[in-house]
Amino acid sequence: MGIRGLMSFVEDHSNEFFTDLKLRDTKIIIDGYALFHRLCFNSNLELRYGGDYDSFAEVVENFFESLFACNICPYVVLDGGCDISDKKLITLKDRAREKIQMAHSLSIGGGGCVCPLLIREVFLQVLIKLQVCFVQCFSEADRDIMTLANHWNCPVLSSDSDFCIFDLKTGFCPLNGFQWRNVNTIKGTQNYYIPAKCFSLDALCHYFSNMNKALLPLFAVLCGNDHINLPIIETFLSKVRLPLRVTSSKGRRHHRVLGLLNWLSHFADPTEALDNVLKYLPKKDRENVKELLCCSMEEYQQSQVKLQDFFQNGTYVCPDALNLGLPEWVLVALSKGQLSPFISDALVLRRTILQTQVENMQRPNAHKISQPIRQVIYGLLLNSLSHVENMSWSALPHQSLAFSEVERIHQNIKTSIVHAVELPKDHSDLSKLTKVSFIRRQMLLLETLKVKQTILEPIPTSLKLPIAVSCYWLQHAEAKAKLHHLQALLLGMLMGPLHAIINSPGKEELQEGGAKMLYEEFQRVKKLTWPGRRLDLDTAHIFCQWQSCLQMGMYLNQLLSTPLPEPDLTRLYSGSLVHGLCQQLLTSASVESLLSMCPEAKQLYEHLFNATKSYAPAELFLPKGKLNSKKKRKKKKGTTWSKNRVGTASDPRCLYEGSNRFGLLMVENLEEHTEATNIE
């Protein structure tokens, strides 16, 4: 949620409404959604290239290490899917449009804040690695956070202005006043603390003539939050004279916040205030408006969900979820973050919202490529209730097979209808999906990705899913991948294994040798892409397609109870590195010379490349500009560039003389080379 203008208003009055804390030796309830957005947008991370997930993971680790140093025990609470009433849909669509505009700005060299596609999954993986307790709520988490914080008498950490309305016993610490990078020591001791600001609801009420704090939920819905934005409220606001203590020069929202709080402070309780609101409205509208306002005010009351039960014994009970009759295993997996909110949205609302990426806005949405994967997901979710267990697909109404997808079209959004695919009978009951054999579940995953099991046999366990997804990507990409795109992507996947070698005890010779040198070289290449380098939109779009395939491949894999191990995303893809490698491969580098410093990495790359090459179009391996031009062929006859031993063919624009350690070897006989590289 969020109340428009409230956070900036209370921050303008920080001396009145906030107290200074030296936070240590306490539990703290963290709004996970607010935290990962804050860390993503306020850590000087590169956002144009689709996510430097390794850098983001490091920031998240540093944040929690600061908490641990101060003996602060974090409990992270994450939002789940959209509310089953769908009352926030208009707000979600408005935000989707805003993100498209910000992504477009980033794509042409401007500013903007758009989370990379897999940032949430990376955040969860870091929490698991650090053994930070977390829960994923069934829908929006604010009320659950408030209820847990009051049960444990500990503060809430968030950036959501709704926590200025909740009656929190121990207070609300806004993220922008939480100085986790500035850990201090209590004088004369070795005890650490984090300087923080804590909002006081009592101080706010005292400032406004000791107003009844029970009036604040009405203030929130009148001011306008994410759940209610009634045009008729503007009628009330235009008629009532909102008193101001001083002339407001802060703008319309600041004026509204100040005026409404002053006006409400004259009433004893919400009932009296609500009656006074309604008298300014036409009689025919009063009952409907009263019902809507009362319903929205309930969003600030205590939740029925007891998250302490989840954190203490793993039990998550949500009445809204139970009333839907969803399979028990699905509810458990959702609460543990083992299934994405994307799944619950599709399951409950038959609608999903596809996240915006920094892509070429003139091209079709990058998520189009992964639609066949989503159709299989929808097919698995379709028969979630037992009463349709024995019903044939032909007996189901056509519209019951349909799901809605909110997606980007150019620089706006549209809602598309997508139909689920018919699945084998043993996959037709979601409640029994976990009982399907491992082989059958793996087979469905690989058939969806159009990959043969034998191709993945030489691939390390942690990379099987990314390589399977890459094979799918090569077959389906609308913006066709070039050889240097595939090379850069696979080279980027070496970062995880290289990091493991460097940090493994007993492998000092590798750490001081090729593995460390190659890792440092990749870090150098990564830094070349920023700041200020212009984004190659076609390359960005191609990698956005790959990330969409990976995201949906992971969601399908999770829904099938991970027949392939989930990859470590923190070092699987770094946008700056992969874009930088693309530039290097086009101008000065070859894969062979780059990997010559580390035989272990070279061998792994060969396995990755050999697995993907049979799924790539043949033209991927032909020298650029040589495909259908006899004239060009004659012009260049007798000179070309060799297919290197790592199993790639280098783009002719990669030419460099022999003194360059990334140079390519010149060879004779173009016709022979072309035949050698035209592989299936």
Side-chain angles (χ1 to χ4, degrees):
M1 293 190 283
I3 297 136
R4 301 177 187 104
L6 179 58
M7 189 59 77
S8 61
F9 172 79
V10 297
E11 287 174 348
D12 283 347
H13 295 77
S14 60
N15 291 336
E16 291 93 343
F17 303 151
F18 288 90
T19 56
D20 292 325
L21 287 185
K22 295 180 178 180
L23 209 63
R24 59 185 296 270
D25 300 326
T26 182
K27 293 177 180 176
I28 191 167
I29 313 302
I30 299 177
D31 178 349
Y33 180 88
L35 177 61
F36 75 71
H37 277 78
R38 176 84 184 181
L39 296 180
C40 180
F41 296 150
N42 291 272
S43 302
N44 198 31
L45 299 179
E46 177 56 71
L47 299 176
R48 294 176 299 158
Y49 297 108
D52 286 350
Y53 296 123
D54 53 345
S55 300
F56 174 71
E58 184 178 351
V59 171
V60 178
E61 288 182 19
N62 290 341
F63 173 85
F64 285 104
E65 291 297 340
S66 292
L67 267 59
F68 299 152
C70 301
N71 197 30
I72 298 171
C73 184
Y75 291 85
V76 177
V77 183
L78 291 141
D79 290 327
C82 298
D83 190 277
I84 57 177
S85 68
D86 224 8
K87 56 192 171 187
K88 205 175 170 181
L89 181 58
I90 293 174
T91 298
L92 292 172
K93 286 186 174 182
D94 287 343
R95 287 182 180 169
R97 291 186 186 93
E98 291 170 4
K99 287 176 184 175
I100 289 170
Q101 295 308 313
M102 285 191 283
H104 175 64
S105 175
L106 284 167
S107 72
I108 59 174
C113 294
V114 178
C115 274
L117 191 64
L118 300 171
I119 205 85
R120 192 179 192 280
E121 281 70 32
V122 172
F123 181 67
L124 288 182
Q125 288 190 350
V126 177
L127 295 184
I128 292 168
K129 174 186 173 183
L130 298 178
Q131 298 183 322
V132 173
C133 296
F134 72 91
V135 63
Q136 180 174 274
C137 296
F138 187 68
S139 56
E140 199 163 76
D142 290 1
R143 293 173 67 196
D144 298 344
I145 290 173
M146 178 266 289
T147 305
L148 178 63
N150 282 342
H151 179 79
W152 279 345
N153 287 311
C154 64
V156 168
L157 183 64
S158 178
S159 57
D160 192 332
S161 55
D162 275 307
F163 289 104
C164 295
I165 304 299
F166 288 119
D167 190 4
L168 291 163
K169 294 178 182 178
T170 318
F172 156 50
C173 297
L175 276 162
N176 59 1
F178 190 74
Q179 300 178 49
W180 64 272
R181 290 185 172 95
N182 186 29
V183 174
N184 289 333
T185 308
I186 295 176
K187 191 173 182 179
T189 74
Q190 293 185 337
N191 297 322
Y192 296 104
Y193 70 88
I194 294 175
K197 298 282 187 181
C198 186
F199 174 78
S200 168
L201 187 66
D202 290 335
L204 176 71
C205 292
H206 176 74
Y207 184 82
F208 288 98
S209 307
N210 290 316
M211 72 183 294
N212 183 351
K213 64 178 68 173
L215 288 161
L216 290 174
L218 178 58
F219 156 76
V221 298
L222 290 176
C223 201
N225 63 18
D226 290 347
H227 284 172
I228 188 164
N229 188 18
L230 290 175
I232 201 164
I233 296 301
E234 297 299 326
T235 303
F236 155 71
L237 292 168
S238 66
K239 291 182 178 180
V240 68
R241 294 186 62 185
L242 297 179
L244 297 177
R245 293 192 170 191
V246 294
T247 302
S248 175
S249 60
K250 295 287 186 178
R252 180 171 172 269
R253 286 185 178 177
H254 194 282
H255 180 282
R256 176 176 291 192
V257 169
L258 182 58
L260 272 173
L261 287 170
N262 270 320
W263 185 78
L264 285 168
S265 67
H266 292 90
F267 301 107
D269 55 49
T271 302
E272 181 186 354
L274 185 55
D275 288 341
N276 274 271
V277 170
L278 296 173
K279 76 179 185 182
Y280 288 97
L281 305 180
K283 288 184 178 180
K284 62 182 177 64
D285 297 321
R286 290 177 185 174
E287 280 306 310
N288 285 338
V289 172
K290 182 177 181 180
E291 185 178 346
L292 282 168
L293 291 177
C294 290
C295 182
S296 295
M297 289 165 64
E298 288 178 6
E299 295 293 333
Y300 296 93
Q301 303 306 311
Q302 185 164 299
S303 168
Q304 292 180 280
V305 177
K306 297 179 180 179
L307 290 183
Q308 62 269 24
D309 291 344
F310 177 84
F311 287 123
Q312 289 165 357
N313 55 43
T315 304
Y316 179 83
V317 179
C318 173
D320 286 343
L322 291 175
N323 291 338
L324 292 170
L326 302 179
E328 175 67 19
W329 78 266
V330 171
L331 297 177
V332 171
L334 285 169
S335 67
K336 293 181 177 180
Q338 295 165 352
L339 289 176
S340 164
F342 174 92
I343 297 298
S344 58
D345 282 348
L347 186 57
V348 175
L349 300 172
R350 294 283 180 90
R351 189 208 63 234
T352 56
I353 299 177
L354 305 180
Q355 294 172 255
T356 300
Q357 300 185 80
V358 181
E359 57 188 291
N360 189 337
M361 299 292 173
Q362 302 307 310
R363 286 187 177 275
N365 192 321
H367 288 295
K368 284 289 184 190
I369 188 175
S370 59
Q371 187 180 95
I373 305 175
R374 292 195 297 279
Q375 288 177 288
V376 174
I377 292 174
Y378 299 153
L380 289 169
L381 298 178
L382 190 66
N383 294 336
S384 60
L385 303 177
S386 59
H387 70 269
V388 294
E389 179 179 350
N390 298 314
M391 188 181 293
S392 69
W393 280 65
S394 59
L396 290 171
H398 188 64
Q399 61 269 24
S400 71
L401 307 179
F403 289 73
S404 299
E405 293 184 342
V406 179
E407 60 174 343
R408 178 191 68 80
I409 177 168
H410 301 302
Q411 292 183 47
N412 208 332
I413 61 171
K414 72 169 184 177
T415 301
S416 302
I417 302 301
V418 177
H419 289 90
V421 298
E422 183 172 356
L423 296 172
K425 189 174 181 180
D426 59 350
H427 294 96
S428 64
D429 184 357
L430 184 63
S431 65
K432 298 178 181 177
L433 186 58
T434 55
K435 297 177 182 177
V436 176
S437 72
F438 171 85
I439 296 297
R440 293 287 295 133
R441 287 183 282 112
Q442 187 180 80
M443 188 182 303
L444 176 60
L445 175 65
L446 296 180
E447 285 175 352
T448 302
L449 298 177
K450 295 181 169 55
V451 180
K452 294 179 180 177
Q453 166 74 28
T454 53
I455 292 294
L456 300 178
E457 287 174 0
I459 306 301
T461 303
S462 61
L463 292 177
K464 286 184 187 293
L465 182 59
I467 290 300
V469 163
S470 299
C471 293
Y472 174 94
W473 166 71
L474 287 169
Q475 297 173 79
H476 293 81
E478 169 269 326
K480 295 299 182 185
K482 304 293 192 300
L483 178 62
H484 64 281
H485 296 135
L486 176 59
Q487 291 174 321
L489 185 65
L490 299 181
L491 287 170
M493 290 184 190
L494 301 179
M495 284 294 279
L498 286 171
H499 184 268
I501 290 173
I502 293 170
N503 291 279
S504 294
K507 294 190 177 180
E508 286 74 15
E509 72 285 353
L510 292 175
Q511 294 167 14
E512 296 302 320
K516 188 174 183 180
M517 287 174 58
L518 183 57
Y519 189 84
E520 290 173 350
E521 177 62 23
F522 282 163
Q523 295 291 355
R524 185 190 69 81
V525 171
K526 179 180 174 181
K527 291 177 182 177
L528 292 177
T529 57
W530 57 278
R533 185 185 286 269
R534 186 177 178 182
L535 180 66
D536 182 331
L537 276 181
D538 287 336
T539 294
H541 201 83
I542 285 164
F543 290 132
C544 283
Q545 290 181 317
W546 180 82
Q547 282 211 70
S548 179
C549 294
L550 180 62
Q551 183 189 49
M552 294 304 158
M554 285 183 62
Y555 290 173
L556 176 58
N557 189 50
Q558 290 171 350
L559 191 57
L560 294 170
S561 301
T562 58
L564 291 181
E566 189 158 298
D568 178 4
L569 296 174
T570 62
R571 288 186 175 82
L572 179 70
Y573 179 86
S574 169
S576 292
L577 172 62
V578 172
H579 278 255
L581 286 168
C582 281
Q583 290 294 320
Q584 294 281 305
L585 292 168
L586 282 174
T587 57
S588 63
S590 75
V591 173
E592 182 181 38
S593 56
L594 183 62
L595 295 180
S596 62
M597 65 182 79
C598 183
E600 295 80 14
K602 180 179 177 181
Q603 184 179 34
L604 175 55
Y605 177 89
E606 288 175 349
H607 289 315
L608 303 183
F609 187 86
N610 289 333
T612 55
K613 71 180 181 183
S614 57
Y615 291 93
E619 59 266 25
L620 189 81
F621 303 99
L622 293 174
K624 186 169 182 178
K626 302 286 198 292
L627 292 176
N628 295 307
S629 173
K630 290 182 180 179
K631 185 176 179 181
K632 287 184 179 179
R633 187 168 286 190
K634 286 179 182 178
K635 209 172 182 181
K636 299 286 184 181
K637 190 170 183 179
T639 305
T640 189
W641 303 96
S642 70
K643 178 184 176 185
N644 64 46
R645 290 182 303 236
V646 185
T648 66
S650 301
D651 190 293
R653 287 178 292 175
C654 299
L655 314 187
Y656 240 58
E657 295 303 322
S659 60
N660 190 317
R661 72 187 181 92
F662 294 110
L664 302 175
L665 299 174
M666 187 160 67
V667 297
E668 301 289 324
N669 199 336
L670 170 66
E671 299 296 333
E672 194 175 57
H673 169 72
T674 303
E675 287 181 12
T677 56
N678 190 11
I679 61 176
E680 292 183 359

